Amino acid sequence: ADDDVYTGALDTWYDGVDSDCEGNSDYDQDADGEDSDSYGGDDCNDTDAAVNTSATEVWYDGTDQDCDEVDDYDSDGDGHAREGETGSSLPADDCDDTDGGRYPGKTDDADGVEEDCDVFIDEDDVEVGDLVITEIMINSADSGTEAWEWFEVFNASGDDLYLDGWELNETIGGNTTVWVSDEAALSIAPGDYAVFCYSVAAPGIDCDYPFGVNPWADSSQGPASSSSFIFNNNSDGSLTLSLDGVIIDDVDTTGFSDAPIYGNGLSAELSIEHHSASDNDSVLYWCEATSVFTTTTAGEGFEGDHYGTPGAANDCTGP
């Protein structure tokens, strides 16, 4: 009855007439089995058969293959596009676009996972004084051998502390700052100790982090080690631990030599009764080490004893 409808005729899409008598939907131009969403269907692009609600999404190509209207540069759906992407209207700052629980601005819960893309782990639960400097080998046994210098810290909090990205600064031997490498995976359990040393060559030391030289990549904030980070057998200065610009603990060592509370091969120890960030500010609570933790020979550069308790409870008590 209609001479415009016959096999071989040009079909005009979306007019409701099957002009070429093929029996297909006049609202499914790309023949993918779904009508155009402009005419009551679900297909968000009826000119591309690879785009429909049953298609597998290919992320980061700028095409919404499955028509779910999720930003194509935000595969985990957390409202942040993959870091560095330019095709999204979302903030392109997601350090892990496969995990919806990680994105900038998220509260970093106390679970040992870095969740807010800023390197630091569980920093929202760290308070001033949670990590305390408890022992410093200012003058190593072989005077002038900075490779044997070290210092000890104590976890005074009730949670594991994760030190990746933390800042270490000394003004004792100069004025040098290093940052714990993001690759170090350095953590300290509650009530436990960790030892920072110039290098793993320090005799008798179970070194948790070498600050003078180490194999790890630099932190995103700065160098992970520095040969200039030394105490240089000098007591006038300070040693500081910081997290994201906040000083968690620092010790002013000026006056240590006047007390005296350290010597050649003898560490300065904080009293075990005063393991706090406030008490370690006073020389009254520091002592000269009395326990030998290792003995070296002349062939190692120094023949004699080294005094201290690196990584263990200090001998110093009182006052």
Side-chain angles (χ1 to χ4, degrees):
D2 186 344
D3 59 7
D4 290 327
V5 178
Y6 55 88
T7 301
L10 179 64
D11 201 351
T12 302
W13 295 104
Y14 315 120
D15 64 355
V17 178
D18 182 15
S19 303
D20 58 4
C21 297
E22 290 190 355
N24 56 326
S25 172
D26 199 54
Y27 302 99
D28 181 17
Q29 180 176 353
D30 56 14
D32 59 9
E34 292 186 354
D35 288 350
S36 168
D37 60 3
S38 297
Y39 296 92
D42 299 313
D43 195 339
C44 58
N45 185 351
D46 201 40
T47 63
D48 187 344
V51 176
N52 55 73
T53 60
S54 299
T56 299
E57 184 64 52
V58 178
W59 296 103
Y60 315 119
D61 65 352
T63 301
D64 180 18
Q65 277 90 1
D66 61 2
C67 296
D68 62 359
E69 298 184 352
V70 173
D71 190 286
D72 199 54
Y73 301 96
D74 179 21
S75 72
D76 56 15
D78 58 14
H80 294 257
R82 185 172 65 172
E83 197 169 47
E85 293 290 351
T86 59
S88 175
S89 60
L90 299 174
D93 54 7
D94 196 339
C95 60
D96 185 355
D97 201 41
T98 65
D99 186 347
R102 293 188 68 199
Y103 53 86
K106 186 182 186 299
T107 298
D108 205 345
D109 302 319
D111 55 6
V113 178
E114 190 281 297
E115 296 163 310
D116 55 1
C117 294
D118 66 356
V119 177
F120 309 113
I121 301 174
D122 296 354
E123 74 273 16
D124 292 333
D125 292 296
V126 178
E127 299 180 354
V128 173
D130 278 354
L131 194 65
V132 181
I133 300 168
T134 52
E135 190 168 4
I136 312 173
M137 178 63 82
I138 296 175
N139 188 354
S140 56
D142 188 1
S143 182
T145 305
E146 283 74 34
W148 291 1
E149 294 178 349
W150 52 271
F151 68 93
E152 172 194 86
V153 296
F154 172 74
N155 183 352
S157 77
D159 299 309
D160 289 343
L161 294 178
Y162 301 88
L163 273 60
D164 290 4
W166 282 45
E167 177 183 326
L168 317 176
N169 174 261
E170 63 78 25
T171 63
I172 303 173
N175 188 359
T176 306
T177 301
V178 299
W179 287 264
V180 178
S181 173
D182 308 351
E183 300 177 352
L186 178 60
S187 64
I188 311 175
D192 205 355
Y193 298 86
V195 178
F196 291 81
C197 54
Y198 183 90
S199 81
V200 293
I205 304 295
D206 185 6
C207 185
D208 293 287
Y209 189 86
F211 53 77
V213 57
N214 63 52
W216 292 303
D218 288 342
S219 166
S220 56
Q221 302 166 90
S225 61
S226 173
S227 60
S228 298
F229 197 108
I230 55 176
F231 304 140
N232 203 28
N233 311 321
N234 175 27
S235 69
D236 294 337
S238 62
L239 181 60
T240 305
L241 311 175
S242 302
L243 168 61
D244 197 17
V246 177
I247 295 176
I248 305 302
D249 187 30
D250 63 342
V251 172
D252 185 351
T253 60
T254 302
F256 274 34
S257 59
D258 296 332
I261 53 177
Y262 83 100
N264 185 25
L266 286 76
S267 72
E269 293 189 336
L270 180 66
S271 167
I272 59 174
E273 298 174 9
H274 297 275
H275 274 24
S276 74
S278 56
D279 284 357
N280 71 358
D281 290 330
S282 172
V283 295
L284 297 176
Y285 301 125
W286 289 82
C287 307
E288 188 178 83
T290 57
S291 292
V292 175
F293 69 86
T294 193
T295 301
T296 53
T297 65
E300 295 174 277
F302 174 80
E303 183 175 6
D305 298 327
H306 305 246
Y307 292 82
T309 55
N314 295 343
D315 294 325
C316 179
T317 59

